[in-house]
Amino acid sequence: MVFSSDIDITIITPLIKSKSSSFLEKIGRHSSINNKQEINELLKKITNIITKYDIAKNGHVIHAKNAKVPILRMVDKRFNIKIDICVGQEVGMKAGDFIKKKCKEHDGLDHMILIFKYFMKKRRLSDGMNGGLVGYAQFILLLDFFQTHPMIQTNRISVKENLGVLFMDFFQYYSRFPFEGAIIDTNKRKYIYNNTSKTCIRDPIYEDILTNTAGSCQSIGLIKECFYFSYRIMCGAINEKSQSKCLSDLWIRHDQFEKHLRNEMIKKYEKLFDKN
């Protein structure tokens, strides 16, 4: 898990009935057709349980009742992990299964996505509510890279041993990619003309419906600039034959406070496992 990221919990229950909607049922997004009142009542009960057993940090639980998808947000008291709880979001579960499947099919993809998500998060480019590119869309973008990179496809390069080289290829390619004119579709493994006026990275789970995982992304120009700068700064370091032992610091820098929090988290987990 990327440091400071959250855990998404989806509750599937027959108590919440969905009204008929062929499109939403097909893609598994039941929350928008569910009775919000019923969902919020269930989330309220969950809030009471969290409060009763003192699970949330400072006893603070945010209940976003009026959101498009009602949700509970809290920080776990024991491990300081952010947790989101929603009802009926089966699409998230399907996406998780899809990611696991593709990581097994493509050696090294799991390594690259962790680094990439951390790279994006450090630059505050992952928050969909603020126009960033959400984590699932980041994964599909990286999957597209794996499916189109000739050396990866022909097994002529070890991903794990050449992460830096491959990230340079990734940054160079997508810093110039015409997102405004092409839809990324990893099922068809080709680019389709984009007439949506939005950045469009198609969800490969639903082949017969165009579901855009990057629909909320308003910062694609900034993201492309970030990719280009990352590529150029590494090219400069290589050309100057930098003596630094870790050139990755040019892309990702760990601050001491973050290292301290990581170590504290490890100690907590070790104590937990020792007890068990």
Side-chain angles (χ1 to χ4, degrees):
M1 185 174 70
V2 176
F3 186 74
S4 78
S5 61
D6 58 10
I7 294 176
D8 295 322
I9 298 176
T10 298
I11 298 172
I12 306 298
T13 171
L15 297 176
I16 305 296
K17 296 181 180 180
S18 300
K19 296 178 182 178
S20 60
S21 174
S22 58
F23 173 74
L24 290 171
E25 286 180 351
K26 213 167 190 178
I27 64 172
R29 291 181 178 172
H30 300 302
S31 63
S32 58
I33 55 175
N34 279 336
N35 187 317
K36 274 194 176 183
Q37 185 177 354
E38 291 179 350
I39 293 176
N40 281 319
E41 286 176 359
L42 179 57
L43 291 176
K44 185 178 180 180
K45 291 179 181 179
I46 295 170
T47 301
N48 292 336
I49 293 172
I50 292 171
T51 303
K52 179 180 178 181
Y53 290 97
D54 195 23
I55 297 171
K57 186 177 181 179
N58 300 323
H60 189 53
V61 181
I62 298 174
H63 184 179
K65 299 179 182 179
N66 299 320
K68 186 176 181 180
V69 178
I71 194 170
L72 292 182
R73 286 187 169 173
M74 55 166 278
V75 177
D76 170 66
K77 183 178 180 179
R78 189 169 190 178
F79 296 103
N80 206 40
I81 296 174
K82 298 175 184 177
I83 298 174
D84 291 348
I85 304 174
C86 60
V87 178
Q89 289 294 292
E90 294 181 20
V91 65
M93 298 170 64
K94 292 178 181 178
D97 291 338
F98 175 79
I99 290 171
K100 291 177 183 177
K101 177 184 175 183
K102 290 302 175 182
C103 284
K104 288 181 180 179
E105 292 177 1
H106 299 279
D107 187 46
L109 178 57
D110 52 346
H111 287 62
M112 284 197 74
I113 189 57
L114 281 174
I115 296 171
F116 183 44
K117 288 184 73 173
Y118 187 71
F119 173 90
M120 295 288 282
K121 197 169 188 71
K122 290 287 282 186
R123 288 158 178 77
R124 299 180 180 179
L125 295 173
S126 299
D127 188 354
M129 295 183 68
N130 292 316
L133 189 66
V134 298
Y136 185 44
Q138 293 173 28
F139 177 81
I140 299 171
L141 186 64
L142 199 56
L143 177 62
D144 179 66
F145 174 72
F146 265 65
Q147 292 182 172
T148 55
H149 195 288
M151 294 191 72
I152 294 178
Q153 285 300 298
T154 54
N155 295 318
R156 287 188 292 163
I157 189 171
S158 168
V159 174
K160 295 177 183 178
E161 294 178 4
N162 295 278
L163 290 170
V165 173
L166 290 172
F167 266 114
M168 286 191 71
D169 288 348
F170 176 85
F171 289 143
Q172 182 186 31
Y173 181 68
Y174 289 103
S175 68
R176 300 175 179 176
F177 188 84
F179 287 96
E180 65 283 354
I183 296 174
I184 292 178
D185 189 334
T186 55
N187 281 333
K188 296 182 179 179
R189 300 198 179 189
K190 66 178 183 179
Y191 303 121
I192 305 168
Y193 176 67
N194 184 1
N195 59 0
T196 66
S197 73
K198 294 182 178 180
T199 303
C200 193
I201 302 176
R202 188 170 188 171
D203 190 339
I205 296 176
Y206 310 105
E207 296 186 30
D208 54 342
I209 300 173
L210 177 56
T211 308
N212 185 8
T213 64
S216 61
C217 182
Q218 303 294 325
S219 306
I220 196 63
L222 181 61
I223 291 171
K224 289 175 68 174
E225 286 182 15
C226 180
F227 288 174
Y228 180 73
F229 177 76
S230 298
Y231 170 72
R232 293 302 305 166
I233 196 173
M234 189 59 74
C235 284
I238 293 171
N239 290 335
E240 292 175 6
K241 297 181 180 180
S242 173
Q243 299 301 312
S244 173
K245 293 182 180 180
C246 187
L247 288 177
S248 63
D249 283 347
L250 296 172
W251 285 339
I252 300 173
R253 293 182 181 178
H254 302 280
D255 56 66
Q256 292 301 316
F257 178 67
E258 185 173 309
K259 289 180 180 179
H260 171 72
L261 291 179
R262 284 178 180 272
N263 291 332
E264 289 299 311
M265 184 73 72
I266 291 171
K267 290 178 182 178
K268 287 181 180 180
Y269 274 110
E270 287 176 344
K271 287 181 180 179
L272 179 64
F273 288 123
D274 287 342
K275 288 180 180 179
N276 296 331

